[in-house]
Amino acid sequence: MKESVYIGVDIGGTKISAGLVTQEGQLLCRKKIQTPQNATSPQIYQAIKTLIRELMKASPVPEARFVGIGVGIPGIVKPDHTEVLVTPNTNLSRFPLGRKLKKDFGVKVILENDVNLGLLGEKWLGVAKDVRHVLGLFPGTGVGGAIIIDGRLVSGAQGAAGELGHMILDYNSRKENAGIYGSLEALASRRAIEREIWSVVRKKKKSGIKSLVKEKKGLVKSSVIAEAIKRKDPDVLRILDEVCVVLGKACISLRHIFNPEMIVFGGGLIEACGKYMLPKVKRVSAADPFFKGVDHCRIVPSQLGDFAVILGAVALLQQDEKGPLPDVRDKAMDIQLAADNGIIIHQQSYPGSVYIRTDGKVKKVKNSLSSDEKVLSHRMNLTLLRKICKKNPQLLIIGYQDKKLILNKAAREYLKSKNIKSIQLPSPQAVSRYKDSSQRKALFLYASSAGK
C-alpha cells in the first residue's frame, strides 16, 4: 500500500518554502526559493509550481501517494479555502491559485491565511497540542493574528477574522499602520519598534543604538534589536518595555473576549527577543483584576518556527477531510469523589490520597511509602510530584480537604522548568475542573491522613 503524503506551501514576501509531510506530521523534505520581486501573478505561480515539482522529485518515499496541497497565503482567503481575495504585499490578489494548482497536479488543494495555518500547526504538533481554545499573536511587519475555538479556525463571513493586529488600543494615537491609527500593530509591531528606534537615531548625536544601526548598515532587523537587548541599550529597552505593556494589555482584552486557554506568540521578533519580552507581557496580562482566579490562560512562545505554516497547511487538509480535530477530553471517564477524599472511577474505589497521570493511570499514595515519597504536614514532596507529573501534563490540579498543600522552592522550580501550571482547589471543585479541562492534565487528591 502506498504511503499518503501531503505538500504544505508557505508563501512569504521574501521567500516561498514547501515541505513534504506524512499523515503523522513527519517532515520528509523541504525546499525554499526567493519570492520573485515585482513579479506578475503568473510569474509567482510558475515559481510555486516549479518548487512543488522539485519537492515531489526529491521525495524519499518512492511509492508515495500525493493526496493534497495546502498553501499559506499572506492575505485574506475565502472561508471555503478556494480563492485568494487580497494579498497586500504579494501580487496574488484574485489570482485563481487553487484552481490552477488542482488542474496541474490533480489533487485536493486548500488555501488559508498563513498566520492561521501557523497557529493550526502549533495546535497539531507544537506548543498548543491538545489545547482546544487558543489565540495567536505574531508581531512582525504588522501583528498577525489567528483564532482557534473548540479546535476549529475562526474565519468569519469573508475569511478576514483573526486580524487581531487591527484592534484599536489608543484612539488618540497618531501612530498608524494599514490605515488604522492607534492599532495594536501601529503600536507594537516590529515596524513600530523600528520607527521608534529611528526616531532615537535621528534625535541623538550619540547613542548605543545609533552606533549599532550604523554598524549594521542602517538595517533594524529583529537580530539588531536582540543585539541591543544584549548590550542593554537603554533607549531600546525603554521602547521594548512600552511595546510589552501594549501587548500585555492586548492579551487582557483578548482573554475577556475569547477566554482562551493559551495565547501563542510567534514570528521573527519573538524568536529573537521573546526571552526578554514575554515575561513582561505575562506580568501585564496577569495583573488584570477581573480574571484573577477565573481563567488560566498561558502566554507562550511558538515552538515550530519556520515549519509551522507548512504543518498547519497539512493539518487543515486532514481536518477538512475528517472534520474537527478530536476533543482530547476523556468524556467517557466516570470520576466521582468518594467520601474519604479518594475517587471512584467506573465504580472502582481508590481511597485515600490518589493521583491520575496524564496517560490515565490511577495511582494510590500508600501509607507504606518511604519517607521521601510521603506528603507530610501538608507539604508536597518533590519525589511524589515527579511521579504525578511523569507524563508531562500542561496542568496539575491538586484537590485538598482542609487546607492547601505547601509547594516548596524545589517543587515550584520543577513545575516552572516543565512549564506545568498548577492550581489547588477543594477536592469537589478539583474533580469538576479535571473533568471539564481540555488540557493535558494530571489530578492529585490529597487526603489529610495520608502518610501519617
Side-chain angles (χ1 to χ4, degrees), residues 140-324:
T141 304
V143 177
I147 306 163
I148 292 177
I149 300 296
D150 202 24
R152 278 282 195 179
L153 281 170
V154 175
S155 297
Q158 281 77 44
E163 293 292 344
L164 305 179
H166 292 169
M167 288 191 302
I168 297 174
L169 299 181
D170 182 359
Y171 65 88
N172 290 317
S173 175
R174 300 313 301 160
K175 296 174 182 178
E176 171 267 337
N177 204 69
I180 303 175
Y181 288 89
S183 67
L184 177 58
E185 63 182 25
L187 302 171
S189 63
R190 187 194 60 76
R191 177 181 286 171
I193 295 170
E194 182 180 1
R195 181 188 62 230
E196 295 303 313
I197 288 175
W198 273 113
S199 177
V200 171
V201 169
R202 285 191 295 268
K203 290 177 182 177
K204 290 191 173 183
K205 291 183 178 181
K206 289 184 179 181
S207 71
I209 188 58
K210 185 169 188 174
S211 61
L212 180 58
V213 169
K214 185 176 180 181
E215 185 181 310
K216 299 296 180 180
K217 299 179 180 178
L219 297 175
V220 186
K221 295 183 176 180
S222 296
S223 58
V224 174
I225 299 171
E227 179 62 27
I229 294 173
K230 187 177 178 181
R231 297 184 185 185
K232 298 182 179 180
D233 182 273
D235 293 310
V236 173
L237 296 184
R238 174 186 56 78
I239 292 167
L240 287 179
D241 288 350
E242 291 173 358
V243 165
C244 290
V245 170
V246 172
L247 291 172
K249 296 288 187 181
C251 286
I252 293 174
S253 294
L254 293 172
R255 286 166 52 211
H256 281 249
I257 296 167
F258 296 103
N259 189 206
E261 299 165 75
M262 178 182 289
I263 300 175
V264 177
F265 276 77
L269 177 65
I270 298 301
E271 288 180 19
C273 309
K275 287 184 178 180
Y276 178 83
M277 295 177 66
L278 287 188
K280 295 176 178 291
V281 174
K282 291 178 186 178
R283 282 197 292 273
V284 174
S285 179
D288 171 38
F290 184 83
F291 265 11
K292 276 191 180 296
V294 177
D295 84 334
H296 304 280
C297 178
R298 290 187 293 151
I299 296 173
V300 300
S302 61
Q303 194 175 75
L304 299 177
D306 288 345
F307 301 118
V309 174
I310 291 172
L311 293 172
V314 174
L316 187 61
L317 278 165
Q318 296 192 55
Q319 182 173 312
D320 192 66
E321 293 170 354
K322 302 174 183 178

Side-chain angles (χ1 to χ4, degrees), residues 267-405:
L269 177 65
I270 298 301
E271 288 180 19
C273 309
K275 287 184 178 180
Y276 178 83
M277 295 177 66
L278 287 188
K280 295 176 178 291
V281 174
K282 291 178 186 178
R283 282 197 292 273
V284 174
S285 179
D288 171 38
F290 184 83
F291 265 11
K292 276 191 180 296
V294 177
D295 84 334
H296 304 280
C297 178
R298 290 187 293 151
I299 296 173
V300 300
S302 61
Q303 194 175 75
L304 299 177
D306 288 345
F307 301 118
V309 174
I310 291 172
L311 293 172
V314 174
L316 187 61
L317 278 165
Q318 296 192 55
Q319 182 173 312
D320 192 66
E321 293 170 354
K322 302 174 183 178
L325 298 174
D327 190 334
V328 299
R329 288 177 285 188
D330 187 357
K331 295 179 179 177
M333 183 175 278
D334 179 22
I335 305 176
Q336 302 295 329
L337 185 67
D340 58 2
N341 198 54
I343 51 176
I344 301 170
I345 302 177
H346 298 309
Q347 299 182 345
Q348 182 175 351
S349 179
Y350 297 86
S353 292
V354 293
Y355 60 88
I356 305 175
R357 293 192 323 210
T358 303
D359 58 3
K361 289 189 177 181
V362 184
K363 299 284 186 177
K364 182 179 177 182
V365 181
K366 298 179 180 179
N367 289 344
S368 60
L369 286 176
S370 61
S371 60
D372 65 337
E373 294 176 325
K374 293 178 183 177
V375 179
L376 297 174
S377 303
H378 294 84
R379 295 181 182 274
M380 171 66 82
N381 183 270
L382 184 58
T383 303
L384 177 59
L385 182 62
R386 283 175 171 159
K387 289 185 176 183
I388 296 170
C389 299
K390 184 177 180 181
K391 296 297 180 178
N392 299 316
Q394 296 170 318
L395 175 65
L396 170 62
I397 303 168
I398 300 173
Y400 59 88
Q401 277 184 316
D402 49 2
K403 63 180 180 179
K404 293 182 179 181
L405 287 179

Side-chain angles (χ1 to χ4, degrees), residues 47-177:
I48 295 168
K49 185 169 70 171
T50 300
L51 178 64
I52 291 173
R53 284 183 172 157
E54 289 179 357
L55 191 66
M56 293 172 71
K57 289 178 184 177
S59 170
V61 185
E63 295 298 317
R65 183 172 67 95
F66 295 94
V67 296
I69 300 172
V71 186
I73 304 293
I76 299 173
V77 177
K78 285 185 69 174
D80 62 2
H81 310 296
T82 61
E83 187 179 340
V84 180
L85 297 179
V86 179
T87 52
N89 299 311
T90 306
N91 191 13
L92 286 173
S93 298
R94 298 290 178 179
F95 183 76
L97 178 63
R99 189 163 68 247
K100 291 182 75 64
L101 286 171
K102 186 174 182 179
K103 179 181 178 181
D104 285 339
F105 293 97
V107 296
K108 181 180 181 64
V109 176
I110 203 165
L111 312 176
E112 182 53 87
N113 171 267
D114 54 354
V115 180
N116 284 351
L117 291 184
L119 185 62
L120 192 60
E122 295 289 346
K123 167 75 183 73
W124 184 28
L125 293 170
V127 71
K129 188 176 181 180
D130 298 335
V131 178
R132 298 293 294 174
H133 309 281
V134 57
L135 307 180
L137 282 176
F138 293 73
T141 304
V143 177
I147 306 163
I148 292 177
I149 300 296
D150 202 24
R152 278 282 195 179
L153 281 170
V154 175
S155 297
Q158 281 77 44
E163 293 292 344
L164 305 179
H166 292 169
M167 288 191 302
I168 297 174
L169 299 181
D170 182 359
Y171 65 88
N172 290 317
S173 175
R174 300 313 301 160
K175 296 174 182 178
E176 171 267 337
N177 204 69

